[in-house]
Each structure stands twice: as C-alpha cells, then as structure tokens.
Amino acid sequence: SIKAIESSSKEDDTTWLTYWVVYGVFSVAEFFSDTFLYWFPFYYAGKCVFLLWCMAPGRCSGAQLLYQRLIRPCFLKHHRALDAALGALGARV
C-alpha cells in the first residue's frame, strides 16, 4: 500500500485502496460470523482463496467486482446518514 501511495501512478492507488475497503468489510463481517464459520470444513482454505481472488490483478479482481456491485451501491445509498451520524458523534466528543 505504501508503494502504491508513493508511486506517481494513481491507478495502483485505486486498486489497493479498493482491496483494503473490501478487506475491511470482510473483516467486520467475519468478526461477527467467525464463531459459526470456523466449524465448516476448509473454511480457512476458502478464506485464503477468497482473499487471493480479491488481490488478483486486472479485470478478474474480486475486490473490484465486490466493491462495484455490493459496497459502492450500499455506501451511496446510505452515505448521508453515515456522514450525519459521524458528524453528531464528532460534536459529542
């Protein structure tokens, strides 16, 4: 990520920032569901394959696909409410 930020090209910045957004959403979801998921056979192997798919370069990148089809529409739908809640929280602090 540091190399992407420090490079002169902005394309790799977008790629890696998209990956980290997808990884963050995945980590939060996994935090709440890990109690149940680790009982499934090959859960950790599947998780590894999923993360490798998310890091894949180019058009076959899972991170780009998940971001464009799931995370971005949800964010755009709720970003005003999120901004208002964070603003209110910041005012209280």
Side-chain angles (χ1 to χ4, degrees):
S1 294
I2 293 172
K3 286 187 176 188
I5 292 169
E6 295 299 322
S7 72
S8 59
S9 171
K10 294 297 177 191
E11 182 177 320
D12 58 354
D13 298 354
T14 303
T15 301
W16 284 109
L17 289 173
T18 302
Y19 168 76
W20 286 114
V21 167
V22 170
Y23 181 79
V25 170
F26 172 75
S27 295
V28 169
E30 183 185 35
F31 175 78
F32 292 108
S33 62
D34 193 43
T35 305
F36 305 108
L37 291 177
Y38 82 94
W39 286 96
F40 286 101
F42 304 108
Y43 166 67
Y44 291 105
K47 177 181 171 181
C48 184
V49 169
F50 171 76
L51 292 175
L52 287 172
W53 175 62
C54 286
M55 288 188 274
R59 292 181 174 238
C60 61
S61 172
Q64 293 291 334
L65 178 74
L66 292 172
Y67 179 78
Q68 292 296 330
R69 293 200 178 163
L70 296 175
I71 297 170
R72 187 171 187 267
C74 184
F75 174 76
L76 292 177
K77 184 177 179 182
H78 301 290
H79 81 280
R80 287 190 178 93
L82 288 170
D83 289 343
L86 290 174
L89 183 64
R92 289 177 80 189
V93 172

